[in-house]
Structures are given as C-alpha cells and as structure tokens.
Amino acid sequence: MGFPAVLADFAPTLRQGGLHLSTFCQFPDANVIEALAKTRLESFVLDMQHGMFDEASVLACVAAGALEGKPVLVRLPVDAGGLASRVLDFGAAGVVCPMVNTAEDARRLVSYLKFPPVGARSWGPRRAIPITGQTAPGYLARANNLTLAFAMIETRQALDNLDAILAVPGIDGVFVGPSDLSVSLSGGATLDSADVAPALDLVAAKARAAGKIAGIFAINPDYAADCAARGYSFIALMQDAMFMAQAADASVAAVRGKTG
C-alpha cells in the first residue's frame, strides 16, 4: 500500500486560514511521530535547530507521519539553507527557517525551496513524489504550491524588515519564535519581554494583509488560544517532550489522589 497523499491538501487548507495545531518535535524517533500522529495533533515540525534530528531521522519521521496521514515540516538549523531542498526531497510538507532577518534572507530561502520560475530548487524529489501521490510531472507542476516556506521572525531586525520579507514571492508565511523575539527586543535581558505582545499583533496583522500564513510557537494551551485570537492560524503547540512530561505527571498525580 502506498503513502496517503498527505501533502495534496495540506498547504491549500492552511492558506485558507483555519486554525491548525501542530507541535515541535525534539526526539529523533519515528516511533514518537507514529504515536503522536494517532492524536488530534494535525502536523509535526521536526526541530533540526534545537532538537536532536539528523538527516536520517528526518527521513524516517517524515515517512512515519505520512503513513499516519499527517504532514511533517522541518525547522532547519541556522545557516543551513542547503538542507532546505533536501528535506523537501524527503517529502517534508514545508520548511521553517530561523533567523530570516532581511528580504535577501527570504529570497535565498525561496531559491532553495521553490522550482523555477519562483526559485532555483534542484530536481530530485525521490520520496516526495510517492508521499504526495503525484507523478513526476504532476509534482513539478504543483510543488511550489504544495510545499510551504516559512520565514521565522525572531529579531528586531526582522520586525523592521517585515513588510519586505512578506513581499518576497515564494514566502508562504512567517513564523514567530516568541522567546528569541523577547531576547532580541530586550537586549538579552528576558524571555518574557512586554514588548513581545504588540509585536505579535503587528506580525499577525501584516501577514494577513499580505495574504500570508501567520505561524507561532505556543508554550501552553492558554498561550495558543491567545495567539489564535491575535490572528495566528498555524500554531505549534508545545513539544513532544513537554507532552510526555505533563501526561506522566498528571497520571501519577491521579493515582496518588486515588490511593492517598
């Protein structure tokens, strides 16, 4: 049995703006993705920047998500643009790229992720073709719309250049890293700067006005709901390690509560 065509509807649906709940994954294990894919989470972001993923584990985890009918994106390491087209060849539904601070950074990202005439992506989507359920010509014709390019907005410089970044053809959306944004706006003083909240409103409003997707990481459900109210539609809710820890603590507490 072949892969479900998990990518065919993912990007078009996300562009419509309805709330989509994903999560960041730190553990480079396909079994973790397989288990989480049976939950109500709608997609996964494999974290190559701060998580423990290498290329082999990305390949395995993209396939594990596909087998369960869930799309998988990849957050790249900093300054690792060469990996961008490679993870798309593996069948990733999109790329979240950190530290996109200028329009030039955004154009460079697009060059890796989109085929001509939009970018300069090289041909070789060996795993992406079966995962998307396309023929080779069909994939070439649709790939620029099927796969998503997210530019992370994490610095004061990125905020200053937000309009220019959003205007780059081929950038499908922006994705806020609230902690890094706080570190930048506070000059390294705090992870919870009061300046982040108005910045979140600004990013969401400008993304919607530009017809682009507004994405963000949410540390907990209350924060996620607040971000949704601000206009964010693609929300990475917590992390796999956080889900595991919270579920374990809640289960232990439930047993202790029943046994005294």
Side-chain angles (χ1 to χ4, degrees):
M1 185 177 75
F3 288 112
V6 295
L7 287 187
D9 297 322
F10 171 62
T13 300
L14 206 59
R15 291 188 181 100
Q16 292 173 7
L19 180 61
H20 181 98
L21 293 177
S22 187
T23 192
F24 270 107
C25 295
Q26 306 289 304
F27 299 134
D29 191 323
N31 293 290
V32 174
I33 299 298
E34 183 178 338
L36 286 175
K38 298 180 188 299
T39 72
R40 296 174 67 182
L41 289 166
E42 297 169 280
S43 67
F44 307 97
V45 183
L46 310 183
D47 191 356
M48 295 188 81
Q49 182 184 11
H50 298 301
M52 294 167 277
F53 285 89
D54 58 14
E55 291 181 52
S57 57
V58 168
L59 180 66
C61 289
V62 167
L67 283 170
E68 295 295 332
K70 299 287 179 76
V72 177
L73 300 89
V74 176
R75 176 161 71 171
L76 299 176
V78 175
D79 293 331
L83 277 174
S85 60
R86 186 157 174 76
V87 299
L88 292 189
D89 288 346
F90 290 170
V95 165
V96 179
C97 185
M99 297 297 172
V100 176
N101 292 318
T102 66
E104 181 55 36
D105 291 341
R107 284 190 287 270
R108 188 179 307 111
L109 176 62
V110 168
S111 75
Y112 296 130
L113 295 179
K114 304 293 184 178
F115 290 116
V118 180
R121 179 182 169 189
S122 177
W123 178 257
R126 182 174 180 275
R127 295 294 292 275
I129 288 173
I131 285 176
T132 56
Q134 304 291 309
T135 63
Y139 183 82
L140 178 61
R142 298 189 64 194
N144 285 353
N145 289 323
L146 287 178
T147 53
L148 295 168
F150 282 98
M152 290 199 74
I153 304 300
E154 308 174 272
T155 67
R156 188 181 299 278
Q157 184 184 15
L159 283 178
D160 291 342
N161 291 318
L162 182 58
D163 288 332
I165 291 169
L166 286 166
V168 172
I171 290 294
D172 299 291
V174 289
F175 193 98
V176 178
S179 295
D180 276 320
L181 187 56
S182 176
V183 170
S184 177
L185 294 179
S186 69
T190 179
L191 293 169
D192 192 22
S193 170
D195 292 332
V196 170
L200 296 187
D201 291 333
L202 176 70
V203 173
K206 285 186 174 290
R208 292 198 310 273
K212 304 293 177 77
I213 302 163
I216 194 167
F217 171 73
I219 193 70
N220 57 50
D222 288 341
Y223 194 86
D226 179 71
C227 289
R230 293 177 187 273
Y232 289 87
S233 58
F234 178 54
I235 299 178
L237 174 62
M238 301 169 45
Q239 300 169 346
D240 50 5
M242 297 170 68
F243 285 123
M244 184 182 298
Q246 290 186 15
D249 280 343
S251 296
V252 170
V255 173
R256 294 294 186 189
K258 294 177 183 297
T259 60

